[in-house]
Amino acid sequence: MEIKVLGSGCSRCKKALELVNKVVKDNKLDAKVEYIDDIMKIMEYNIMSTPAIIVDNEVKIKGSLPSESEIKKILGL
């Protein structure tokens, strides 16, 4: 599984990355987590507001800080 957290470096984006990493670690998922803050790469996903979470190249969340339970849901847990 490939998870990308897209963000501008703001506190909400960093918190989203922190939550994703926590869920991956707590559930021992075989996943690669990447943080992307390059605005041009973010635009490639048609994202206008961050944070956003992409799972296996599919946009799952954009423009809001998800809860831990929301992250678990989009990861199929």
Side-chain angles (χ1 to χ4, degrees):
M1 180 184 304
E2 185 176 86
I3 305 167
K4 296 177 183 174
V5 178
L6 283 54
S8 60
C10 68
S11 61
R12 288 179 357 148
C13 298
K14 290 177 183 175
K15 182 67 177 174
L17 177 62
E18 183 182 305
L19 286 171
V20 167
N21 281 324
K22 181 182 186 317
V23 169
V24 167
K25 182 181 176 193
D26 289 353
N27 294 279
K28 296 176 177 58
L29 295 178
D30 181 21
K32 177 186 172 206
V33 179
E34 180 181 2
Y35 183 72
I36 298 175
D37 60 358
D38 180 321
I39 191 69
M40 296 312 284
K41 287 185 180 179
I42 292 171
M43 299 278 288
E44 288 174 15
Y45 288 97
N46 231 2
I47 302 294
M48 296 299 157
S49 59
T50 56
I53 299 176
I54 314 294
V55 179
D56 294 330
N57 283 321
E58 185 179 335
V59 178
K60 296 289 188 175
I61 294 175
K62 60 181 174 181
S64 66
L65 177 61
S67 67
E68 196 170 322
S69 62
E70 287 175 302
I71 294 169
K72 286 179 179 178
K73 185 177 177 185
I74 67 167
L75 296 180
L77 300 172

